[in-house]
Amino acid sequence: MAADGTAGAVGVGLAATSILALIACVASWQLRSRLSRAHRNIARLTDLIAAVPDQFLAKDGVEERASPGLAALLGTPQIGYDDLPNRFEDPSAVRAALAGTAPFDLTLRSCAGRTIRIAGNRANGAAVLVFRDATAEAESARTLVADRDQLKAL
């Protein structure tokens, strides 16, 4: 009879182990499925960001993320949030915008000689900045003003 009790306990133990193994397999499959979906979403977002001509810099607390082309746009090997003002001819304008809490939209000349439009917003300790190369637009505007001035002189 003691053997029957031991066999019953072993049977219950095996059944419990099988159930736990099944639960672990299902949980593992669900996790792999979610992870695969997350990787596909990240790949799609990366492709989408690469297709947009704008560059970005985001800071949430101490973590920073920048689009791959931002440093090249600003003519520097690397870029960080705290170093950003130093990449423009008027660093005080950038510092003032970054220190404020209101959304901003600036067009400034970078130290690399490009005209850069920066739109930014800050909330709850996070900041998102979007950069666009506006050099061609600025050159067109300068040409129009010069043409206007020449016509006025006639």
Side-chain angles (χ1 to χ4, degrees):
M1 203 151 225
D4 287 339
T6 304
V10 168
V12 169
L14 285 174
T17 302
S18 296
I19 290 171
L20 288 175
L22 180 63
I23 291 171
C25 285
V26 169
S28 174
W29 175 79
Q30 287 178 338
L31 182 59
R32 272 189 260 152
S33 176
R34 287 181 183 169
L35 188 58
S36 176
R37 193 174 26 238
H39 282 279
R40 284 192 306 272
N41 288 340
I42 288 171
R44 276 190 289 242
L45 289 173
T46 301
D47 290 345
L48 179 64
I49 288 170
V52 174
D54 297 341
Q55 303 297 320
F56 73 90
L57 176 63
K59 181 177 180 180
D60 182 12
V62 294
E63 187 175 341
E64 294 182 15
R65 294 188 190 262
S67 55
L70 181 58
L73 175 66
L74 298 177
T76 183
Q78 61 186 16
I79 189 69
Y81 187 83
D82 294 333
D83 187 46
L84 186 63
N86 300 327
R87 302 300 172 199
F88 290 90
E89 290 179 358
D90 185 2
S92 61
V94 179
R95 281 191 197 96
L98 296 178
T101 57
F104 63 89
D105 192 339
L106 301 172
T107 301
L108 299 169
R109 195 147 169 85
S110 73
C111 292
R114 292 185 173 162
T115 301
I116 307 293
R117 182 174 180 193
I118 311 169
N121 202 355
R122 298 173 50 104
N124 300 324
V128 176
L129 309 174
V130 179
F131 301 80
R132 173 168 286 182
D133 188 347
T135 304
E137 298 162 11
E139 186 58 37
S140 293
R142 280 191 287 275
T143 301
L144 286 172
V145 169
D147 290 348
R148 182 199 64 196
D149 291 347
Q150 283 180 345
L151 288 173
K152 280 184 177 180
L154 294 176

